[in-house]
Amino acid sequence: GTMKSKTALPKVLRRMVLPTSPWREPRGARGAAVMEVVTAAGLELFAEKPSRQVTVVDIAKRASVARASMLLQFPDGISDVLAAAVNVEYERILDVEKQLWDRKPPKTVLDAMYRLVEAIHSRAVATGNLYANLLSEALQTSGPHRGHVDGAFGLLGTMFAFRAGADLGDNEGWVSSNSIALGEALARSTWSASASDWAVSGLMKYKDGTAPSALSLSYVIAEALLPRLREYARDLPPKPIVEVKQRTTNRQRRVSSR
């Protein structure tokens, strides 16, 4: 008889995500409803024009709420609305990534990273000025605003770290503080590229004389960082819980797969 050669089946890539927690607990009986309509109004206005041209009065008017009601939920005004908007946009990025993942399932971890890059760029293209307006808030890593830990780049950086280890099982380890930090750098550069055309794209030329797009530059950076992300992900103890520090309290978020 003939002996069939055994070929190891490729591992199924896992799409791990971290959920956001509420940006801020609503105040008063109508607080949640006011926060929702104000954030939606802010997202619309920030997509239409530069944030420096948007006022609290503009947002309250668009949301059809009293200025005092808005400031009860967003006491720091525009900066608070920007922070809340980052949270919402993080969720929307993951929704688009899920659609891209389902439509074109990644076959490699680099493909998995590309789907997240594509989701960020796709949302930026679809939302006008929004990503440029959210850039400064999304990059903020300290201070009174919680965008960083509740839905901005802290979580996107972790998502890139997860994608780089998407083929690793729980017993192999797939996330570390080093990989999250490097994922953070990738998230920031991708967001920055998606928010505006990088000046460097006008300086770089391909062999055919064309200039790389912001998306193609993000592909290059993701591919360049992947080996180091993989190095950090290997040979680590499994870490299914990620610690997130907010103000003076430590909270734990369980990783889920969607």
Side-chain angles (χ1 to χ4, degrees):
T2 59
M3 182 180 294
K4 295 182 179 180
S5 61
K6 293 183 179 180
T7 302
L9 294 175
K11 292 184 178 180
V12 176
L13 299 184
R14 302 190 302 174
R15 182 177 174 272
M16 311 301 289
V17 302
L18 285 174
T20 57
S21 59
W23 170 76
R24 173 181 285 164
E25 292 300 322
R27 301 167 180 173
R30 296 186 59 248
V34 170
M35 289 181 73
E36 181 177 354
V37 295
V38 167
T39 302
L43 284 164
E44 290 178 4
L45 287 166
F46 295 142
E48 294 171 10
K49 51 188 176 182
S51 58
R52 64 180 178 275
Q53 297 177 12
V54 179
T55 67
V56 168
V57 173
D58 292 334
I59 296 176
K61 184 177 180 180
R62 178 69 65 93
S64 298
V65 301
R67 181 174 177 273
S69 296
M70 172 182 164
L71 290 176
L72 179 64
Q73 308 303 326
F74 300 90
D76 287 338
I78 297 296
S79 59
D80 272 356
V81 179
L82 283 167
V86 171
N87 244 29
V88 173
E89 193 55 33
Y90 169 81
E91 294 286 356
R92 291 177 177 174
I93 287 170
L94 292 187
D95 288 342
V96 171
E97 187 211 23
K98 177 64 164 56
Q99 296 170 16
L100 294 173
W101 189 289
D102 292 342
R103 188 183 314 150
K104 191 178 179 182
K107 297 180 179 179
T108 66
V109 292
L110 183 58
D111 284 341
M113 292 179 68
Y114 281 172
R115 294 299 89 79
L116 184 53
V117 166
E118 291 160 5
I120 295 171
H121 279 268
S122 174
R123 286 297 305 159
V125 169
T127 53
N129 291 305
L130 181 63
Y131 273 48
N133 283 329
L134 295 182
L135 182 59
S136 60
E137 176 61 34
L139 289 176
Q140 187 169 317
T141 58
S142 62
H145 303 302
R146 272 72 60 194
H148 178 69
V149 296
D150 275 349
F153 278 35
L155 294 185
L156 279 180
T158 304
M159 292 307 98
F160 276 115
F162 285 164
R163 300 300 172 265
D167 61 333
L168 300 180
D170 285 340
N171 61 336
E172 297 173 276
W174 39 263
V175 67
S176 71
S177 58
N178 284 339
S179 60
I180 291 174
L182 195 57
E184 179 87 351
L186 178 55
R188 289 164 182 257
S189 66
T190 302
W191 190 293
S192 177
S194 71
S196 60
D197 288 331
W198 275 355
V200 71
S201 66
L203 302 175
M204 295 174 62
K205 298 290 183 181
Y206 290 132
K207 290 182 179 180
D208 62 2
T210 61
S213 66
L215 177 59
S216 65
L217 285 172
S218 293
Y219 284 152
V220 169
I221 296 170
E223 184 175 2
L225 291 181
L226 179 59
R228 184 57 60 87
L229 280 164
R230 295 283 291 173
E231 178 183 329
Y232 287 149
R234 289 195 178 99
D235 302 322
L236 292 168
K239 190 177 181 183
I241 295 177
V242 176
E243 298 279 354
V244 179
K245 186 174 183 180
Q246 179 179 7
R247 290 188 175 181
T248 58
T249 60
N250 286 323
R251 295 180 301 162
Q252 291 180 327
R253 284 198 184 95
R254 289 199 175 277
V255 175
S256 62
S257 179
R258 329 199 269 202

